[in-house]
Every structure is written in C-alpha cells, then in structure tokens.
Amino acid sequence: VTPSAARPIPPAIGSAATTRGALVAELTGLLGGAHHEARFIADEVLGPAGSDASAVSPGSAIVARALARRRRAGEPLQYVFGHWAFRGLDLVVDPRVLIPRPETEQVVEVALAEARLLSGSGSGLRIVDAGTGSGAIALSLATELPGSEVWATDASADALAVAAVNLERVRADHPHVVVELVEGSWLQPLPQEPQGQIELIVSNPPYVSEPEWDELPDEVRAEPRQALVAGVGREGTPGLADVETVLEGSFAWLTRPGCTVVELAPHQAEPAARVARTLGYDAVQVEPDLAGRPRTLVARVESERRG
Ligand SMILES: C[S@@+](CC[C@H](N)C(=O)[O-])C[C@H]1O[C@@H](n2cnc3c(N)ncnc32)[C@H](O)[C@@H]1O
C-alpha cells in the first residue's frame, strides 16, 4: 500500500523526542520515586555520559521505559539489564544464577591475599571455585592471578551455562585464562589427578536458612533457591550445612600448605570456625566485609611436618 502524501501520519503515543532529564523524571515516577534506579536505567540505555539537557531519541526512551516497567514488576535491576559488574568484569546474569554481591568481591580480595602467601606472585596455583554460579569468583581469580589453573564446579547445569558464556566473554580480553567448568556437587566432579594438589579452594556456598528464605523480599527470591538456601549445620547452626560440606570436602584436595576460603553469614562465623578446627585445619580466622561484619572464613593447612 502506498502511503498517501496528503494525510500526515500521526506520531505514536509516547514517541516524541525528550531530554535525558525529562526521561529520568518520568522513569522516577514509573518506579515510585526510586530516582537512583531511574538514573541507573538511563545510564544503561544512553551511556553514563550526557547532561540532563541532552536529547534522547524516541527509540531509546521506549527501551528505557520497558526496562523500568520490568523493574517495577519486581525483577532485580541486574536481571533487567542482563549483566552486572564484578571486580572489573562485566558478567552476564539472569535468573539461572545468583547476582554476584559486593561482599563476594571482598571474599576474592581475601583469596588473592592467601594466593600470594602461598606463592609470591600468586601465579602457577591450582585453584577451585566450588559453586561457581555466574563464574564470578573463578573468573576473577583466573584473570587476577595470571598463570593459575582454575576449576569451577556447580551442581546446576543452568548456572554452568551462564558461567560458560562469561568465560567466553572474559577470554576475549584474557585469551590465556585457564578455567575448567565441571558439573556436580562441590569437589566431587573434579578429576582425581589434582587430589591433594590444590593450593586454594574458594567458595560462596548457599548459607541462608529455610526460615530466613521465607522472610526474604520477593526480589531476592527471584534468585535461584538452590543458590541461597542451605540446611542446618552439625551444631544446629541454621544455614551452615553447605559451608561445612565444603570445608570438610576441601581438606583432602588441598596441598600442604593450602587454604580454603569460604563466605558465610556473620552469625555463622564462630560455629564455622569451630567446625574447621575440628576438621583439622591448622589456622582458622574470619575476615570482615566492608561493613566490618565477619564474612570470610580462612582455614589453612600448614606444611606437613617431617620426622
Ligand atoms: C551463593 S551462590 C554463589 C554463586 C557465585 N559463586 C557467586 O559468588 O556469585 C551458590 C552456588 O552454589 C551452587 N550449588 C548449590 N549446591 C551445590 C552443590 N551441592 N554443589 C555445587 N554447587 C552447588 C548453586 O547452584 C550456586 O550457583
């Protein structure tokens, strides 16, 4: 059909060009006053540069409004965007994986310090990330410790599919990273060969108890339950079962000296440290997160004594 030149086509509703400032104000209204989230969405769609007076195309405004509506419906912003920053990496995230948290960036910091204690530069180490999810810990360690060899396990094939996408993306900038993704429970899927040969095991296992999960906001419950919820620990500590399983399983895989680094909830620090000592770790300490709360358990085994 040839459009008639005599009849002008009316603009579609909402398709008029706008400015960045006006768009942010509109998105803030859509989001019930969450101005910082409106700014995040504008930055995501338009790029972070640009003054409030800069022009926004109708197409960009439509995309931004669609993202804001998804957010308003309760989806976490990270899933709405489909990616999120973690220690300088841009990771793909979707409802198959936990959204990587700032606390875990700090856990990686602790793991890097342990790596450097074990081998001056931290390179040449064999490392495991048990329960890798998006691959956040494994990919950070592999890129920040060049020359290391990293295995990343997860019981969820869905999570590993996301980790595989992230590994490919990271390889574009770091072609020499060595990361092996393996499906199965904690350390069980590792090949037998490195048993007793792993210098560093890092994990952010599920540590939310069942009753805590029931109380969590819907937004957090949009994340996979399997990534967050764990059973009761051996002393009756809620949510500590997986932390304990990782600590126990790791013991046989470590070199001497070697180290297991595990994220946990602040109230679990003392019982987890007791369990680690009972399991035979020689030196156990808990490092704080950026808010000063106990967050990262460091459990070391020392060199074998001769004699
Ligand atoms: C708290 S999430 C951490 C994800 C990622 N490491 C991070 O820090 O963002 C826990 C991860 O452990 C995985 N997981 C749960 N049970 C597991 C098991 N028995 N063996 C291996 N991984 C498991 C979940 O699928 C999830 O990806």
Side-chain angles (χ1 to χ4, degrees):
V1 179
T2 312
S4 155
R7 239 185 300 142
I9 300 166
I13 294 166
S15 71
T18 184
T19 63
R20 189 184 185 107
L23 179 66
V24 169
E26 183 190 336
L27 299 179
T28 302
L30 254 176
L31 292 166
H35 180 71
H36 63 290
E37 292 198 350
R39 282 232 169 262
F40 259 133
I41 292 173
D43 289 353
E44 172 73 12
V45 176
L46 308 173
S51 72
D52 281 355
S54 56
V56 173
S57 71
S60 295
I62 288 169
V63 171
R65 288 182 197 113
L67 297 184
R69 283 191 202 99
R70 283 176 60 189
R71 176 70 194 113
R72 186 179 60 185
E75 242 184 292
L77 205 53
Q78 296 88 338
Y79 290 161
V80 170
F81 292 167
H83 66 110
W84 200 244
F86 185 87
R87 290 189 70 85
L89 300 177
D90 184 32
L91 298 175
V92 165
V93 290
D94 67 24
R96 290 174 290 177
V97 292
L98 186 96
I99 297 161
R101 307 287 206 270
E103 295 92 291
T104 310
E105 295 185 308
Q106 189 62 23
V107 171
V108 172
E109 200 62 46
V110 172
L112 289 171
E114 290 303 312
R116 292 185 185 114
L117 282 179
L118 287 161
S119 127
S121 64
S123 71
L125 294 178
R126 279 149 298 184
I127 300 171
V128 174
D129 170 16
T132 198
S134 63
I137 295 173
L139 296 172
S140 299
L141 293 173
T143 52
E144 295 184 53
L145 296 170
S148 58
E149 197 179 345
V150 182
W151 283 269
T153 76
D154 209 292
S156 159
D158 276 350
L160 285 175
V162 177
V165 171
N166 283 322
L167 174 56
E168 279 317 300
R169 285 160 63 93
V170 165
R171 279 208 176 115
D173 289 331
H174 305 271
H176 302 300
V177 294
V178 179
V179 178
E180 190 80 36
L181 303 174
V182 274
E183 185 184 341
S185 191
W186 305 128
L187 297 132
Q188 282 170 16
L190 297 178
Q192 282 304 303
E193 176 269 320
Q195 184 145 35
Q197 307 285 320
I198 306 284
E199 280 93 358
L200 183 61
I201 297 171
V202 188
S203 184
N204 172 19
Y207 55 75
V208 171
S209 69
E210 298 271 354
E212 282 170 334
W213 168 262
D214 292 338
E215 298 298 315
L216 286 173
D218 287 347
E219 193 180 326
V220 179
R221 284 151 53 104
E223 297 181 80
R225 193 179 192 283
Q226 188 191 3
L228 284 161
V229 177
V232 177
R234 53 180 76 182
E235 292 181 4
T237 313
L240 199 61
D242 286 341
V243 168
E244 292 177 356
T245 303
V246 170
L247 282 169
E248 185 168 14
S250 296
F251 201 75
W253 288 87
L254 288 173
T255 50
R256 271 57 178 161
C259 183
T260 303
V261 173
V262 188
E263 180 173 327
L264 37 64
H267 68 88
Q268 297 167 336
E270 281 183 26
R274 268 198 303 277
V275 169
R277 287 187 194 102
T278 308
L279 288 168
Y281 286 93
D282 298 302
V284 178
Q285 65 197 54
V286 180
E287 298 294 335
D289 60 22
L290 292 174
R293 295 166 301 193
R295 181 64 68 183
T296 310
L297 182 84
V298 178
R300 299 188 189 119
V301 284
E302 309 293 3
S303 303
E304 232 119 43
R305 285 177 205 93
R306 292 173 195 279

